[in-house]
Amino acid sequence: MDIKRVAIDAVNEVIVLTVPYMDYKGQVAKRINEKMPLATVKGFRKGAVPKALVEKQYGAAIKVEEVNKVVNLALERFLQSERINLLGSPLPKVNENFNWSDEDLTFEFEIGIAPEFEINLDAKNNIVKYEIVADDAMLDAQVARIQKQYGKIISQTVVAKGNDVSGVFVNEAEGINNRTTIDLEELADAKLAKSFIGKKVGDVITMKTNGLFHDAHKLMDYLNVSHDVVHDLDVEVTFTIDEVVAHEPADLNQELFDKLFGPGAVTSVGEVKEKIKEDAEKHFATQSEQKLMADVQDFLIENTKFDLPKEFLVRWLQTVGEKKLSAEEAEVEYNRSEKGLRFQLIEGKALAQSNIQITFEDLKAFTANAIRQQMAQYGQMNPTDEEVEGIVARVLSNQEEVKKLSEQVVAEKMLQLFKEKANPKAKKVTYEQFVAAMYNE
């Protein structure tokens, strides 16, 4: 058998594989002999059909099966021996002159190859590592929300100042139909907020989305729309009131403190704020890391140039998965996943370049830490090592979980590597400033 690689360009090749008659004739003959006792042809008793008729009836299909076996095995072994870093999997190339009646058969397979490239983690960058601070305004607002949450709810028939008003926002043309609760103080237009006063359940108020709230991002929650449209959305919506409630704030006393944090854990409003600050900033740190990782990805993708075998991958996407895709659908899927593929290649190169490997011990440690954090959220602050190890063993027995967790470990190591190499600039911000930075505003 003859197998060779034909380069088209740096990321596209064709494997040409020629199967001579001698490589499959013996197995075809064996299969035909095995078929003879079972063959049934009209006019002949079972098992007494002449070999020539058996060959005529079954020979072509047997030849196809056996040649395909030879081709698939040879191709698999060749790819392994050549250690080709494939993108996708080989695609049979259509040859209009191919004829299964020929003795020597030549097959061609298109392959996409991972590109060769260099990355520079030390390159100058403008990436910022945000340290998000829970400021006094945020802490005061959170204390007020706690008082409201644990206070007494009093149903109202008419809207008054300080009430919460529930209802449904609707704009059929924009596909908006969302039930929510409005704190009237969040409305940017004081005149609009005042127009709610005196309204009753069933009343309908029409308003403009543009400038509805001080922070346009609130439209995402109140109207259930995407971030892509919040700044340009300028339509009228109706709001139909279906509930009005007043809140009698809970007293800031030891009973409330114990309910929030456990008996005797805090004894003053100042300590409450410290607890809120500590918890908020832990949560903010996670969000900051997520943004840093996204910024790292964008920077490396933008500054690491290489070609991909796009046309090949689009054709390959048409052949994988339960649902076969049209050329147009495959193009859309490629465009959707190209950025992720580029970063996956960059990530692998960076880890290899820095000789960083992921071990099973890394995976166990990461999983154990994640489990301890999750248990803490449910009040289990000091689980035993045996408890955690038992859960880790169960989690890591699931291959899907192992794959997901491995990706998280890789991302964590990649982020740590970038912090060490690229030294992103640290910057303290409030949460509002962080949100503005996150959306490039």
Side-chain angles (χ1 to χ4, degrees), residues 417-433:
L417 174 63
F418 190 84
K419 286 180 185 176
E420 294 170 0
K421 294 279 188 179
N423 193 27
K425 302 168 188 65
K427 184 177 181 180
K428 282 190 176 185
V429 293
T430 65
Y431 186 69
E432 288 73 17
Q433 291 169 328

Side-chain angles (χ1 to χ4, degrees), residues 377-426:
Q377 291 176 356
Y378 291 94
Q380 294 177 265
M381 304 305 294
N382 296 298
T384 65
D385 290 343
E386 290 76 13
E387 287 177 312
V388 174
E389 288 169 6
I391 299 172
V392 168
R394 288 197 296 275
V395 170
L396 296 184
S397 68
N398 183 316
Q399 289 303 309
E400 284 298 316
E401 286 296 320
V402 169
K403 180 181 177 183
K404 183 170 67 175
L405 289 164
S406 297
E407 290 171 352
Q408 293 174 21
V409 173
V410 168
E412 188 176 77
K413 284 186 176 285
M414 182 67 187
L415 185 58
Q416 187 59 39
L417 174 63
F418 190 84
K419 286 180 185 176
E420 294 170 0
K421 294 279 188 179
N423 193 27
K425 302 168 188 65

Side-chain angles (χ1 to χ4, degrees), residues 3 15 23 29 132 281 340 356 386 439:
I3 307 179
I15 294 177
D23 281 8
I132 309 169
E281 290 181 353
I356 294 176
E386 290 76 13
Y439 293 115

Side-chain angles (χ1 to χ4, degrees), residues 152-441:
K152 186 177 180 182
I153 297 175
I154 307 168
S155 181
Q156 304 290 301
T157 57
V158 178
V159 179
K161 186 176 180 180
N163 290 170
D164 281 350
V165 184
S166 298
V168 182
F169 277 112
V170 174
N171 179 300
E172 292 184 2
E174 296 293 331
I176 296 170
N177 191 315
N178 192 54
R179 186 179 188 280
T180 188
T181 299
I182 299 177
D183 180 345
L184 298 180
E185 293 182 3
E186 291 188 339
L187 295 174
D189 186 345
K191 186 176 179 182
L192 173 62
K194 189 175 181 180
S195 72
F196 275 80
I197 306 301
K199 294 292 191 293
K200 302 183 292 297
V201 171
D203 286 349
V204 178
I205 298 173
T206 300
M207 61 196 81
K208 283 273 195 179
T209 57
N210 187 29
L212 185 56
F213 299 103
H214 295 289
D215 180 358
H217 296 110
K218 290 188 179 294
L219 293 175
M220 296 165 64
D221 297 322
Y222 283 106
L223 304 185
N224 192 26
V225 296
S226 71
H227 177 264
D228 295 339
V229 304
V230 293
H231 294 293
D232 299 320
L233 190 64
D234 188 8
V235 297
E236 281 192 344
V237 289
T238 61
F239 183 82
T240 304
I241 299 172
D242 62 23
E243 185 180 16
V244 181
V245 297
H247 293 269
E248 184 179 304
D251 291 332
L252 293 171
N253 55 27
Q254 194 61 46
E255 182 182 353
L256 178 59
F257 301 158
D258 291 347
K259 189 180 293 184
L260 291 171
F261 303 106
V266 300
T267 58
S268 68
V269 175
E271 290 180 3
V272 169
K273 288 184 178 181
E274 283 299 318
K275 282 280 190 182
I276 294 172
K277 182 179 177 68
E278 180 183 346
D279 292 343
E281 290 181 353
K282 281 182 183 178
H283 177 66
F284 294 159
T286 301
Q287 290 183 285
S288 176
E289 293 281 273
Q290 290 169 348
K291 175 166 174 55
L292 178 58
M293 190 70 236
D295 290 344
V296 168
Q297 288 185 16
D298 289 342
F299 173 79
L300 291 175
I301 290 170
E302 180 64 28
N303 289 274
T304 308
K305 305 297 183 184
F306 53 81
D307 292 327
L308 289 173
K310 177 180 177 179
E311 290 76 14
F312 167 81
L313 289 172
V314 169
R315 291 195 299 276
W316 174 72
L317 285 169
Q318 292 180 254
T319 68
V320 295
E322 295 181 5
K323 179 190 173 186
K324 302 304 178 186
L325 302 180
S326 67
E328 294 75 16
E329 290 172 329
E331 178 95 15
V332 170
E333 177 62 20
Y334 174 84
N335 291 334
R336 186 190 67 79
S337 58
E338 180 184 3
K339 182 177 177 181
L341 173 58
R342 286 184 177 276
F343 186 70
Q344 186 178 7
L345 293 170
I346 292 169
E347 185 177 63
K349 180 81 171 181
L351 295 175
Q353 189 172 291
S354 300
N355 198 30
I356 294 176
Q357 297 179 338
I358 309 302
T359 67
F360 188 65
E361 290 304 314
D362 291 331
L363 190 58
K364 283 176 62 178
F366 180 87
T367 306
N369 184 56
I371 288 168
R372 288 183 184 279
Q373 289 180 354
Q374 190 173 26
M375 293 176 78
Q377 291 176 356
Y378 291 94
Q380 294 177 265
M381 304 305 294
N382 296 298
T384 65
D385 290 343
E386 290 76 13
E387 287 177 312
V388 174
E389 288 169 6
I391 299 172
V392 168
R394 288 197 296 275
V395 170
L396 296 184
S397 68
N398 183 316
Q399 289 303 309
E400 284 298 316
E401 286 296 320
V402 169
K403 180 181 177 183
K404 183 170 67 175
L405 289 164
S406 297
E407 290 171 352
Q408 293 174 21
V409 173
V410 168
E412 188 176 77
K413 284 186 176 285
M414 182 67 187
L415 185 58
Q416 187 59 39
L417 174 63
F418 190 84
K419 286 180 185 176
E420 294 170 0
K421 294 279 188 179
N423 193 27
K425 302 168 188 65
K427 184 177 181 180
K428 282 190 176 185
V429 293
T430 65
Y431 186 69
E432 288 73 17
Q433 291 169 328
F434 174 74
V435 170
M438 187 163 59
Y439 293 115
N440 297 314
E441 296 167 2

